Amino acid sequence: MSGEIIDLAVIGAGPAGMAAATVAADLGLDVTVFDENPAPGGQIYRGIEAVATKRASDLAMLGPAYEAGKTIVSAFRASKAKHQPNTSVWLVQKDRQLGIASGGRASMVQARRILIASGAQERPVPIPGWTLPGVMLAGATQGLLKSAGMVPSGPVVLAGNGPLLYQLGAQLAAAGAKVTALLETEARYGAALQHLPGAIASGGYLAKGLGLISAIRKAGVPIRRNVTGLKAIGKDHVEAVEFAANGRAWRLDCEVLCLHQGVVSNAQLTLAIPAKHEWNEAQRCWRPVTDAWGNTDLEGIAVAGDCGGIGGAEAAAHAGRIAACEAARALGKIDAPQRDTRASGDRSAWERHLRIRPFLDALYPPSRAIAVPADDVTLCRCEEVTAGEVRAAVRQGGTGPNQVKSFTRTGMGPCQGRMCALTVSEVIADQLGKSMAEVGTYRVRFPIKPLTVGELASLE
Amino acid sequence: MFRRLHTSSSTLTITLDGVALKVAPGDSVAAAVLASGNPACRQTPVTGSDRAPFCMMGACFDCLVEIDGVPNRQACLVEVREGMQVRRQARPTLVADRLAS
Ligand SMILES: Cc1cc2nc3c(=O)[nH]c(=O)nc-3n(C[C@H](O)[C@H](O)[C@H](O)COP(=O)(O)OP(=O)(O)OC[C@H]3O[C@@H](n4cnc5c(N)ncnc54)[C@H](O)[C@@H]3O)c2cc1C
Ligand code: FES
């Protein structure tokens, strides 16, 4: 480890991390942002600098919410904050040491404070055939469109629910892809209705959502509602999707099937330290417990953005700035009243953006039949373990995810449970008639990113 | 399976399983594999079934490939470089296979 100690280490260069670093540097902190991607932007603004300079004609198709990233990235670039791209953080310790790996070398960094802004990941969508090549998460197809300007060359079907699915539908249609259909698994308009006042108060979200749906319709893409029994069919790669809707069975040919059931907090780092977590029933995922400034229960370690609960890109940027003010206070650059004043605009904007969430969470719940799949469905992609094998392990006395893991090898493959942890716990909770909070989740262990032999050797 | 919306003014050449492949600067290795015509990156150790990039954000590890001799690199997080040698990862020999033979 080099002797240098940095004031604030930010993990993640999405809107939360970039906004936090910009403000923290402005307040006089020595800040470094670590991100495993080659360019800043995070999930929403992926590739924004390259698109703006080399493929500016794509901005119209990607939409104004994407283009908004230009402002936040250029402010970050103009700030004194350092950016270490292509760098994954594989360890965070309570004493605020970080383990990082980049370009085949691993090293340790000591920070006075750490802000984890690691964002979200898409919820796993275990349906029959979801491991076939050509079946992808919706955000994956969107990422290809943003970062590489690529679209599916053959027919593509989008299936699931949530705002991202509609956004992808509108973007793919605008890009000229052959979108055969958008299959919506479940939308509970009745349950969402009570949250309508908050949704309206949060700003333009409803109008944006309706705009996306109308763009998809105008492009001639049929939207099928209340779709159940989704199944990806194919031998070596996906060839069709089967499902039920309107009381009949359907089959649509496709070369790419994009699945989506919403996004969940990426709590891999905070779970591994471990910080204290709670089950978020509305969003059906785990989140680190924080105070109003993003502080976890661990001294000097805070979170901001979607990794602390799903709030979307704009809320993430406000949360990042709020956490930066708190970091400057904790390190003695400003006092508490100055922090409160500086953060007040961001706090009210943050609260306003969060007011859409109860509406969205109620409208687009993950489909129960997908969250708790049938026996023959593979739920751990890495070790190829089925839901039936997990149930058998529970019958043999496996009472929690860690025991089931040792019985069946779920969560022991390279993804370290990122693609099965939620499903394994949902299946156990369902079978034992317990709540998710009671069942818990895997113990996540460092390194949270596998180190190569060379990286290990470079770590003295 | 995927096509490019733009023809890039400059291209790089990598090899995929020893075969030269023209790619665009800024492509991730996973994007390059998806545009190559055969999206598979690796076979699973358990059943040997093909896997292609699934999340494109570093979460699923289905995109593991060998890059310049180093196995198990996440293709969706690595940018292509001129002359890069990429290999799909075949199913490793399992203990069970060895016992059976
Ligand atoms: C695939 C995907 C696509 C999305 N697309 C949209 C969209 O188009 N529109 C929209 O409104 N919302 C989208 N979202 C929702 C999105 O989460 C938020 O809108 C927004 O990106 C959250 O910002 P953030 O700063 O919290 O996190 P993110 O933008 O997710 O940024 C987190 C960053 O941290 C990095 N990171 C995480 N862990 C590590 C580690 N261990 N080491 C190094 N780096 C790490 C990630 O690579 C990423 O760059 C998407 C979410 C996902 C998962
Ligand atoms: S495609 Fe999922 S980790 Fe690379």
Side-chain angles (χ1 to χ4, degrees):
Chain A
M1 188 170 79
S2 67
E4 189 200 2
I5 302 179
I6 55 177
D7 287 338
L8 177 64
V10 178
I11 304 164
M18 288 189 292
T22 308
V23 167
D26 189 40
L27 290 169
L29 300 187
D30 163 28
V31 190
T32 304
V33 182
F34 302 92
D35 191 290
E36 58 194 355
N37 289 289
Q43 302 310 340
I44 174 155
Y45 307 131
R46 181 176 285 280
I48 180 80
E49 291 173 310
V51 172
T53 51
K54 294 185 202 142
R55 294 187 267 127
S57 58
D58 286 0
L59 286 172
M61 144 197 111
L62 290 166
Y66 178 71
E67 192 169 358
K70 280 195 327 201
T71 316
I72 192 163
V73 176
S74 51
F76 170 58
R77 290 287 197 195
S79 78
K80 289 209 177 85
K82 296 180 203 97
H83 177 221
Q84 279 204 25
N86 300 312
T87 303
S88 39
V89 177
W90 49 269
L91 169 78
V92 171
Q93 291 184 168
K94 287 184 181 156
D95 64 1
R96 297 180 297 281
Q97 267 200 65
L98 280 79
I100 60 170
S102 184
R105 293 185 62 82
S107 57
M108 303 294 291
V109 174
Q110 178 72 53
R112 293 195 173 84
R113 271 188 80 88
I114 294 177
L115 180 64
I116 300 177
S118 56
Q121 70 161 64
E122 283 178 88
R123 187 187 297 282
V125 191
I127 62 164
W130 72 312
T131 55
L132 283 168
V135 180
M136 299 171 86
L137 291 171
T141 304
Q142 195 199 39
L144 274 164
L145 184 57
K146 291 173 183 170
S147 65
M150 286 182 189
V151 293
S153 46
V156 47
V157 173
L158 315 186
N161 69 8
L164 189 55
L165 199 68
Y166 285 96
Q167 190 167 50
L168 177 66
Q171 289 169 330
L172 286 180
K178 285 178 237 157
V179 186
T180 309
L182 189 150
L183 312 176
E184 186 179 81
T185 45
E186 196 174 343
R188 293 194 190 157
Y189 292 94
L193 212 55
Q194 55 169 313
H195 302 292
L196 196 59
I200 292 165
S202 69
Y205 286 100
L206 286 180
K208 188 184 161 199
L210 293 171
L212 293 174
I213 293 173
S214 106
I216 294 169
R217 286 243 163 79
K218 271 200 200 124
V221 177
I223 299 178
R224 300 235 171 271
R225 312 262 183 199
N226 292 314
V227 164
T228 56
L230 279 169
K231 219 185 251 187
I233 308 289
K235 198 169 155 286
D236 302 320
H237 55 87
V238 67
E239 291 159 28
V241 52
E242 291 183 353
F243 58 98
N246 305 334
R248 60 165 273 211
W250 297 76
R251 181 189 165 102
L252 295 175
D253 289 343
C254 61
E255 217 176 87
V256 172
L257 172 62
C258 299
L259 300 175
H260 189 67
Q261 290 280 277
V263 300
V264 297
S265 294
N266 171 9
Q268 208 74 3
L269 276 169
T270 46
L271 281 170
I273 309 173
K276 194 170 172 219
H277 285 71
E278 65 188 4
W279 174 250
N280 181 338
E281 183 65 27
Q283 300 188 334
R284 296 206 78 73
C285 65
W286 299 94
R287 70 173 297 270
V289 176
T290 61
D291 68 10
W293 297 94
N295 294 308
T296 67
D297 65 320
L298 305 172
E299 181 64 31
I301 302 182
V303 304
D306 273 3
C307 69
I310 302 304
E314 288 176 84
H318 294 297
R321 291 187 199 107
I322 292 169
C325 294
E326 165 66 354
R329 185 213 54 84
L331 295 176
K333 299 283 181 192
I334 54 175
D335 59 21
Q338 287 170 320
R339 172 200 66 181
D340 297 354
T341 309
R342 171 104 196 206
S344 72
D346 281 300
R347 186 170 296 284
S348 50
W350 183 50
E351 284 164 359
R352 181 166 51 81
H353 284 296
L354 290 182
R355 294 196 67 184
I356 184 70
R357 290 295 139 180
F359 177 82
L360 290 176
D361 295 339
L363 181 61
Y364 297 123
S367 155
R368 191 74 189 145
I370 297 174
V372 186
D375 277 353
D376 57 345
V377 178
T378 298
L379 109 198
C380 166
R381 298 172 63 90
C382 296
E383 296 292 332
E384 301 182 83
V385 181
T386 62
E389 288 170 85
V390 167
R391 290 191 178 101
V394 173
R395 279 195 298 275
Q396 285 157 24
T399 53
N402 292 300
Q403 254 178 325
V404 165
K405 180 177 180 174
S406 59
F407 287 4
T408 63
R409 297 194 55 82
T410 54
M412 286 196 190
C415 94
Q416 296 170 299
R418 287 169 173 85
M419 286 292 138
C420 71
L422 279 172
T423 320
V424 165
S425 290
E426 291 272 16
V427 168
I428 298 171
D430 176 71
Q431 195 170 348
L432 297 177
K434 289 187 175 175
S435 68
M436 286 292 274
E438 284 173 288
V439 167
T441 187
Y442 295 142
R443 263 189 307 278
V444 179
R445 292 209 165 79
F446 289 117
I448 63 146
K449 287 277 170 166
L451 292 172
T452 63
V453 178
E455 284 163 347
L456 273 174
S458 70
L459 196 68
E460 19 5 288
Chain B
M1 201 165 74
F2 281 83
R3 66 180 169 89
R4 293 177 195 278
L5 292 172
H6 308 274
T7 40
S8 176
S9 48
S10 60
T11 53
L12 300 176
T13 305
I14 65 170
T15 64
L16 180 55
D17 293 329
V19 179
L21 182 67
K22 286 217 184 306
V23 298
D27 277 358
S28 63
V29 173
V33 174
L34 284 166
S36 76
N38 172 5
C41 285
R42 67 171 176 114
Q43 294 178 329
T44 58
V46 183
T47 61
S49 65
D50 279 348
R51 286 296 166 82
F54 178 67
C55 75
M56 289 301 284
M57 59 161 289
C60 75
F61 290 71
D62 274 334
C63 64
L64 297 179
V65 292
E66 185 187 298
I67 299 178
D68 293 333
V70 181
N72 298 324
R73 303 288 314 276
Q74 286 177 278
C76 65
L77 294 176
V78 180
E79 227 175 73
V80 290
R81 256 182 301 97
E82 179 63 35
M84 187 180 252
Q85 296 181 8
V86 181
R87 289 198 170 273
R88 296 188 168 93
Q89 292 192 176
R91 176 194 196 185
T93 314
L94 289 174
V95 178
D97 290 351
R98 261 179 267 140
L99 289 179
S101 63

